[in-house]
Amino acid sequence: MKTQVAIVGAGPAGLLLGHLLRAEGIEVVVVERAAPDYVLGRIRAGVLETTLTDLLDRLGLGERMHAEGIPHDGFNLADGERLIRIDVAALTGREVMVYGQTEVTRDLMDAAPSRGLEVIYEAADLAPHDVEGDAPYITYTKGGAQHRLDARFICGCDGYHGPSRKAIPASAGQHYEKVYPFGWLGILADVPPCNHELIYANHANGFALASMRSATRSRYYIQVPLDEKIEEWPDDRLWDELALRLGPDAAAHMTRGNALEKSIAPLRSFVFEPMRHGSLFLAGDSAHIVPPTGAKGLNLAASDVAYLSEALARYFRSNDPDGVAGYSARALARVWKAERFSWQLTRLMHRFPEADAFDRRMQLADLDYIASSVAAQTTIAENYVGLPL
Ligand code: APR
Ligand code: PHB
């Protein structure tokens, strides 16, 4: 089989890139390891920058997002005594859209057949080949048979654990990684949110986050030690701790309910440079990971594929190599600024095991300064809504 662009991975990055390339008339095939339901089953953040909502609108795929998503013009930081509201709309003129990543992926997945976007699911043992030349290909097995897909370019949208980044020789790239000394325990429950906006709380016991999926479905998180066992957190204990960490006002409006999903995820910051090697490009989690504190993971995948689709369109439309040559540097400039914001907000809002009393007072002083400074709030707001492409 032959195409112009082979995309590895049908998560949000792979599917969004596939749609953007199809909209440019470029032949593309997406090859995904899992079945569609498995891809949709991953619970992930749901705060969309206009970076992403604009792309969905441009593709004519934003209808359900606008119908079911919740526009937010602000969010809150809590320091155990008060809510510090960051009025992103007033400070930046922009909002964010609360709409689950699963729903974004579902919208992209459902629209693929009508847009001529071929997605091959349940493709096992995928391997990229000859990525340093101009005739790369991938091999995979499906239905017990070995398959080969030849392409001019391969786009690795296969996440942190996928094969694409590993196809780049160690000597040709540079890893940057920070693993945080704690994880997030998340719960999904069919209960109304405790606040109409998100609350990020820094409590002496640790971080907590009150988020949502809709007016009747909430998503909460608490920071837990890395070696924490989910069995140690029955629902009641988790609701008690959330009420304590989020503060009295949130607790007074909190509705408890049975967990539809409950899991612990580690936090890391990770970047691989460059995001291109020969005819292989990396986009999304295959190239970078952010701690979920800043809700940047999905939005960075969107900016990567916005840059990459533009670069590939220039190549196939005008045989202009400059876009693909400049993709990595352009994408990394935005990636590193999002890494910075996510790392800073994580440091501000979490209790680090090695932190002493002075460190705690620095966090509280930081939050007190933010509460009193429009300049400080504007800095946070412009990063939260997403820096320009
Ligand atoms: N062969 C084919 N597909 C693969 C392989 C493989 N060997 N390995 C991984 N994949 C697929 C995964 O099954 C997944 O569907 O690649 C896809 C990668 O999707 P994501 O991990 O969601 O990454 P991305 O599309 O970059 O989206 C980033 O997703 O994980 C969240 O927090 C992250 O919000 C961020 C967003
Ligand atoms: C979520 O709703 O899952 C969510 C929201 C904001 C974050 C992280 C996760 O920063």
Side-chain angles (χ1 to χ4, degrees), residues 5-66:
V5 178
I7 295 175
V8 184
L15 290 173
L16 187 56
L17 178 60
H19 276 292
L20 289 167
L21 294 177
R22 285 302 301 136
E24 295 287 344
I26 294 168
E27 294 169 19
V28 56
V29 177
V30 183
V31 186
E32 163 61 45
R33 172 184 60 184
D37 285 350
Y38 181 87
V39 175
L40 291 171
R42 289 194 298 261
I43 305 291
R44 292 285 191 278
V47 176
L48 313 186
E49 297 173 1
T50 50
T51 313
L52 176 49
T53 59
D54 288 351
L55 287 175
L56 292 172
D57 287 339
R58 193 171 101 198
L59 288 166
L61 295 177
E63 186 180 343
R64 193 164 74 98
M65 171 193 57
H66 289 295

Side-chain angles (χ1 to χ4, degrees), residues 35-43 102-103 105-107 109-110:
D37 285 350
Y38 181 87
V39 175
L40 291 171
R42 289 194 298 261
I43 305 291
T102 299
E103 304 320 313
T105 306
R106 191 192 311 280
D107 293 342
M109 206 180 265
D110 292 348

Side-chain angles (χ1 to χ4, degrees), residues 308-336:
L308 186 50
S309 59
E310 187 183 307
L312 290 169
R314 280 175 64 178
Y315 178 89
F316 286 109
R317 189 171 51 228
S318 331
N319 203 24
D320 171 357
D322 292 347
V324 292
Y327 162 70
S328 178
R330 191 180 181 200
L332 283 167
R334 195 171 194 271
V335 165
W336 277 113

Side-chain angles (χ1 to χ4, degrees), residues 43 186-188 209-213 217-221 261:
I43 305 291
I187 181 173
L188 189 70
L209 170 60
S211 183
M212 62 199 74
R213 291 291 177 270
R217 177 166 287 193
S218 297
R219 179 71 167 162
Y220 288 94
Y221 301 90
E261 189 269 351

Side-chain angles (χ1 to χ4, degrees), residues 185 187 201-210 220-225 228 232-248 250-251 254 256 351:
L185 190 168
I187 181 173
N202 177 329
H203 184 273
N205 286 10
F207 171 81
L209 170 60
Y220 288 94
Y221 301 90
I222 59 164
Q223 168 190 344
V224 292
E228 196 75 315
E232 292 168 15
W233 287 92
D235 291 2
D236 284 347
R237 181 190 176 198
L238 180 49
W239 288 117
D240 290 343
E241 189 66 19
L242 279 165
L244 175 67
R245 294 190 190 185
L246 288 166
M254 189 177 284
R256 300 180 177 214
R351 182 162 174 248

